[in-house]
Amino acid sequence: MSPSLQAQIEACRLCRARFRATATAHEPRPVVWFARGARILVVGQAPGIRVHETGRPFNDRSGDRLRDWMGVDRETFYDRTRLAIAPMAFCFPGYDAKGADLPPPAICAETWRDRVNAEIGPVDLTLLVGGAAQRWYLGTRSVTETVRGWRAHAPGLFPLPHPSWRNTGWLKKNPWFEAELLPVLRARVKELT
Ligand code: SF4
């Protein structure tokens, strides 16, 4: 019997040389958290350092904010029968010269994305969290413009900014996000969980 797709991704080391060349010189550690039949798909960017260390997606302050946006507790969020969490890259990519996370390596989505989506199957709600996911699924470049146009995609899909604390300024500048988008998103998530 061939290994499951999840096991194949967990064994993936395609980015070993790329990660070794970063300041952290870390080994790839794919964080895989999805199963067939989930009704909600969360497509993030790539794990941060805390997720890399713990092996659990969104197990950080970004995750706390994302769960607040969705109106779910940790138990619901980590129930793979209800939520699939499949980022644009499954490993922590390292830091750039300014100490920010590097973007997800494109090779990850090129290698795995179509197979991951086929494995999860059709979902009722997709959350595109951040620019990389929005570029891949919608072909858009500006996160602000894409999220501002959320009504064109709801209720089956919501583009969201990344919930990183680095984006607190963005949230202050765009109060319509919390006032208008989040109540609709929370209602949709409630219907499906
Ligand atoms: S980021 Fe993706 S392609 Fe690169 S080693 Fe991790 S699982 Fe493999």
Side-chain angles (χ1 to χ4, degrees), residues 8-16 18-19 27-32 46-47 88-93 104-112:
Q8 290 177 53
I9 299 173
E10 277 165 0
C12 178
R13 296 294 180 268
L14 275 174
C15 299
R16 177 175 270 155
R18 176 195 300 261
F19 296 165
E27 275 290 297
R29 183 185 187 187
V31 177
V32 179
M88 295 306 295
F90 289 98
C91 299
F92 169 58
I107 192 174
C108 196
E110 287 160 11
T111 305
W112 299 113

Side-chain angles (χ1 to χ4, degrees), residues 65-84:
R65 181 176 259 172
L66 179 60
R67 285 182 282 278
D68 176 55
W69 287 353
M70 297 171 69
V72 295
D73 57 17
R74 288 177 71 91
E75 191 189 338
T76 304
F77 188 80
Y78 289 116
D79 179 351
R80 277 175 259 213
T81 67
R82 293 191 273 188
L83 253 104

Side-chain angles (χ1 to χ4, degrees), residues 134 141-150 161 170 173-174 176:
Q134 290 161 21
R141 301 208 77 80
S142 160
V143 170
T144 301
E145 289 316 307
T146 307
V147 178
R148 204 188 288 281
W150 64 275
W170 187 95
K173 260 194 264 167
N174 296 281
W176 51 267

